[in-house]
Amino acid sequence: ETGVTQTPRHLVMGMTNKKSLKCEQHLGHNAMYWYKQSAKKPLELMFVYSLEERVENNSVPSRFSPECPNSSHLFLHLHTLQPEDSALYLCASSQQTGDPEAFFGQGTRLTVV
Amino acid sequence: DAKTTQPPSMDCAEGRAANLPCNHSTISGNEYVYWYRQIHSQGPQYIIHGLKNNETNEMASLIITEDRKSSTLILPHATLRDTAVYYCIVRPFNTGNQFYFGTGTSLTVIP
């Protein structure tokens, strides 16, 4: 238990669906991150938030839309995804951006059909 | 751009020390070495980090060569629960937003 909770743990969605992934941390951290982990590929950083402001967007398609309403919650809104978007989506947090230790959630396993 | 090279897989007998190597020959003077691991179906977990001195904590020891071009993560008494993918990452300390995870070393601890 890292203190970072992601829901749902598993999600199957059609290409025309709209769904959202949720991440929550009550560690008092100011930075939150979304990562994508595809099969047999390294983790890819998608978005970085610091004090609820997006500070980095690594060329992620617009069908992925992050939202950070407060420093404890992070969402990833999904719409019109493609099968190649199927992956493990990981949320992480750290005290500040750039801290040596980031705490990861267990991830949401997303399957797009 | 992981900037590190690790063997793709290793085995270790339970109870023995696991020594995981990492090459980072292009490391810059302001870059630290970090180690994370990812147990199957879980998110990555921080293990340890260091600059040039050897470091030890409750999980592992980190040995960095004098020229800083390589390092070794040591799990002193490996258990079955240490079976995981281990990632060696270099990054400036407290700057930059991301850790570039490469493909790591898949460690299997054998009973």
Side-chain angles (χ1 to χ4, degrees), chain A residues 76-112:
Chain A
L76 187 63
H77 303 300
L78 316 170
H79 65 97
T80 60
L81 294 193
Q82 304 297 312
E84 58 265 29
D85 296 321
S86 299
L88 181 68
Y89 288 84
L90 289 157
C91 173
S93 72
S94 61
Q95 187 62 50
Q96 309 291 345
T97 56
D99 271 7
E101 185 173 3
F103 293 78
F104 283 79
Q106 292 192 295
T108 295
R109 175 69 61 185
L110 174 68
T111 303
V112 181

Side-chain angles (χ1 to χ4, degrees), chain A residues 41-60:
Chain A
K41 290 177 67 175
L43 272 79
E44 305 168 53
L45 180 69
M46 300 175 73
F47 301 105
V48 180
Y49 276 82
S50 176
L51 294 170
E52 302 140 49
E53 281 194 31
R54 191 190 312 180
V55 297
E56 189 155 339
N57 174 349
N58 279 359
S59 302
V60 179

Side-chain angles (χ1 to χ4, degrees), chain B residues 39-88:
Chain B
I39 296 171
H40 182 62
S41 297
Q42 296 184 25
Q45 176 191 23
Y46 166 84
I47 300 173
I48 199 167
H49 74 279
L51 180 63
K52 54 183 178 181
N53 297 322
N54 297 338
E55 302 288 343
T56 295
N57 62 20
E58 65 277 6
M59 289 183 68
S61 294
L62 174 60
I63 309 297
I64 302 175
T65 57
E66 193 167 342
D67 63 8
R68 303 208 323 121
K69 293 185 176 182
S70 65
S71 60
T72 301
L73 180 75
I74 301 173
L75 309 178
H77 306 286
T79 71
L80 298 180
R81 289 183 297 180
D82 292 321
T83 293
V85 178
Y86 287 77
Y87 298 98
C88 170

Side-chain angles (χ1 to χ4, degrees), chain B residues 8-30:
Chain B
S9 63
M10 292 181 62
D11 292 339
C12 177
E14 187 178 17
R16 304 295 294 269
N19 299 292
L20 294 103
C22 179
N23 286 323
H24 30 80
S25 58
T26 61
I27 192 169
S28 301
N30 66 338

